[in-house]
Every structure is written in structure tokens, then in C-alpha cells.
Amino acid sequence: MDAYTPPEVAELVSRAGATKGNMRLDKVFFSAFSAGCLLAFACGTVLSTNTASWFQDNAPGLIRTIGALVFPYGLCIIVLTGADLCTGSFMYTTVAALQRRLSWPKMLLHWFVTFWGNLAGSLFIVAIIFGYGETFSADPYKSQVISFATKKQLTPDFHMIFLRGIGCNWLVCLGCFLGLQGRELSSKIIGIWLPIFAFVSLGFDHVVANMTFIPMAIWLKAPGLNIGLYIWKGIIPTLLGNIVGGGLFVGTYYWYMYLVKEETITLTGLRKGQDKSEASSFAPRGKEDVEASAGAMDSGFKINSH
């Protein structure tokens, strides 16, 4: 397989986290704003796809699976354009901080800015594009938005949402990890797509996705939903669960498995079938990777090509 090895990906994650954590805050915010907008579009597609009354009554698992198959395009566009989700940041910057390439205060600041940027972008799409654009204002779409948000917000208890949040970002960050592992576009897309499909098909909770699902229902005046309830059950438990899932179960785990050792990890620059004589004209793959931007050559780090 023409892909980075897991230890190499862990190294790329560390370097990307350092680059992201040291980015200018205005750029971090706008990058996060873009990510919030892009994920909101994918959330809208899921809501539209799920608007199938017969399936909801007779084959709810099947329609959820179909919706899960289309949703991952949101994260694919986010990763491939280099935009920042706070949920992905929980993995990237945690690994960078554990590797001492980023300070813990800078890590937390990056989390803070990306969270608010994601929220601003999501609410922009909810209000301006979906809201005033009346994308979901008429039935059966309106009923689906309200039903979907009600099941996510009113039915489960706080601890249930927290645990679903762990599972969600465990899979989301695996998607980011596998997206880095591939060396070309199709491999990256497949690597991102599969874990994201898994989390949506299982009905897990993603704090940024909830920034579209719940506010959209509030905009449509869903009974029982309000801003206070959204903060208490749509943000707090989901955010905490996402931090644990991405920062601990993915970031810390792969840091411990692959980066806690004395030897230095080098990243291969050549693709299969290419001889060493071409190395001088070949850019290291990490340099071309938008999500790892930097991780390969910037910030004073060097990659050895084999």
C-alpha cells in the first residue's frame, strides 16, 4: 500500500498540531468559521436525506445508513481544504503538546478559538442560508428537522450524550488520522469517509454537527427546545465527550504507541515505483498534504526521503 505507516502518521499529526497551534488567531478563527459552514451543509444534506416518511416508519435503520453514507463529504472538504474543526484539534494539538512542540496554554487557546469559529460558521448557515433561505421551512422537511433534534436533545440523558460524544470523536479523529495516511486524493477520501460513516450510522453526537441540528430546530420553533437546553445537553456533554474521544482515545493513544520512544521517526518522500534519482525533484508528500500543512517541512522540522 502506498501510504504512510501508523508511526509516520502519528509524527505528521504532531507536526500538524504544532503548526495549527501556532497559527495567527485571526486565521484560526476564519479557518474554523469555514469548517463550521462546510459541516453545516453536510448536516443539511443528512436532514434532507432523512426526510422519507415511509423509511422512518418501516426501515429507520436503513434510512439512517443512507444518510450516513452522504454525510462524510463535509469532513472530506474540511480536511482537504485545511479548515479547522475543534474536534479534530482535540487530536492534533494534544499530540503536539505531548511531544512538547506546543505549549498547553496555546493548545487550549486553539481549542477555544476553533470552537467559537465553528459555532459562528454553523449559525451563519443556519440563519442566513437555511433560515432566511427557507430551506427547511415547509413540511415534510420541517417536521424532520424538529423530529431529528428532539430525539437528539430531549430523549437521551446527559450521561448518554457524553458517552455518545466519546464514540463520535473517536471515529472522527480516526478519519483525520486515516486521511493523513493516504498519499493521494482518493485514498484520503476513503480514509476519511469510513469512520465518519460509522459515527453517523450509530447516531453519535458531534458538537459541531449539533451546532446545526439543534439551532435549526430552534429556528423552526420546535416544541420544548430552547437555547438553555441546547447549551446544557447539546454543547456541554457533547463537547466533553468529544474532547475525551479525540484527545485521549486517539491522540494520547497513538502518541503513546508510536512516539514515546528514543528513535526519531522519518517520513518517506518517495512513492512506489520512483527511483532515488527522482528524489531531488520530488516534493515530500507531507508538504503537499493540506491537513498536515506544514507538518512536513515547516517549523524547522526536516523530513528524510528514502
Side-chain angles (χ1 to χ4, degrees):
M1 292 178 63
D2 187 16
Y4 289 116
T5 65
E8 289 174 334
V9 181
E11 175 69 10
L12 275 176
V13 168
S14 172
R15 297 181 182 190
T19 301
K20 289 173 178 293
N22 287 298
M23 191 188 301
R24 276 173 38 186
L25 292 183
D26 59 318
K27 289 193 173 185
V28 173
F29 179 82
F30 285 118
S31 177
F33 183 93
S34 172
C37 292
L38 294 171
L39 198 69
F41 287 132
C43 292
T45 300
V46 167
L47 291 170
S48 177
T49 303
N50 284 353
T51 305
S53 301
W54 186 90
F55 282 96
Q56 291 292 354
D57 294 335
N58 298 280
L62 179 59
I63 194 61
R64 178 191 278 185
T65 300
I66 295 172
L69 283 170
V70 299
F71 179 80
Y73 81 78
L75 189 67
C76 286
I77 298 174
I78 288 169
V79 170
L80 296 176
T81 58
D84 283 292
L85 278 178
C86 65
T87 47
S89 175
F90 299 153
M91 174 188 69
Y92 286 110
T93 56
T94 295
V95 176
L98 289 169
Q99 277 295 89
R100 300 182 182 178
R101 286 174 168 160
L102 182 69
S103 68
W104 294 102
K106 279 192 173 182
M107 180 195 77
L108 295 174
L109 179 60
H110 191 267
W111 292 8
F112 180 83
V113 176
T114 52
F115 173 85
W116 289 105
N118 291 161
L119 182 61
S122 300
L123 294 181
F124 173 79
I125 297 299
V126 167
I128 305 302
I129 307 298
F130 292 164
Y132 289 117
E134 298 191 354
T135 305
F136 298 102
S137 62
D139 280 328
Y141 302 101
K142 179 179 179 179
S143 298
Q144 173 56 31
V145 171
I146 294 174
S147 172
F148 189 90
T150 299
K151 291 175 183 177
K152 270 193 168 293
Q153 202 76 113
L154 295 180
T155 306
D157 295 330
F158 187 98
H159 74 281
M160 297 176 185
I161 299 173
F162 169 75
L163 294 173
R164 294 175 188 179
I166 293 176
C168 170
N169 211 35
W170 190 337
L171 290 165
V172 168
C173 288
L174 280 177
C176 295
F177 190 94
L178 296 178
L180 275 178
Q181 191 159 16
R183 291 179 184 266
E184 38 73 40
L185 190 65
S186 58
S187 295
K188 291 179 178 297
I189 291 174
I190 293 171
I192 297 167
W193 209 280
L194 296 176
I196 305 308
F197 160 76
F199 110 68
V200 179
S201 67
L202 291 169
F204 290 158
D205 281 273
H206 188 268
V207 69
V208 184
N210 281 357
M211 292 174 183
T212 297
F213 291 136
I214 313 306
M216 191 70 247
I218 294 174
W219 179 279
L220 295 173
K221 298 179 171 54
L225 290 181
N226 54 62
I227 295 174
L229 180 64
Y230 166 54
I231 293 172
W232 174 241
K233 290 182 71 178
I235 290 181
I236 295 176
T238 312
L239 180 62
L240 294 175
N242 287 172
I243 289 172
V244 173
L248 179 62
F249 284 85
V250 182
T252 302
Y253 171 75
Y254 288 112
W255 168 80
Y256 176 77
M257 291 297 295
Y258 300 126
L259 300 181
V260 180
K261 53 186 175 181
E262 295 180 0
E263 60 191 80
T264 301
I265 294 176
T266 58
L267 306 177
T268 55
L270 292 177
R271 303 183 71 172
K272 286 186 176 179
Q274 186 171 24
D275 59 46
K276 293 183 179 180
S277 64
E278 298 173 283
S280 61
S281 62
F282 180 79
R285 301 306 297 176
K287 179 67 174 179
E288 298 172 3
D289 195 309
V290 178
E291 186 61 28
S293 69
M297 295 288 288
D298 298 342
S299 305
F301 299 121
K302 181 180 181 181
I303 286 184
N304 297 320
S305 293
H306 297 287

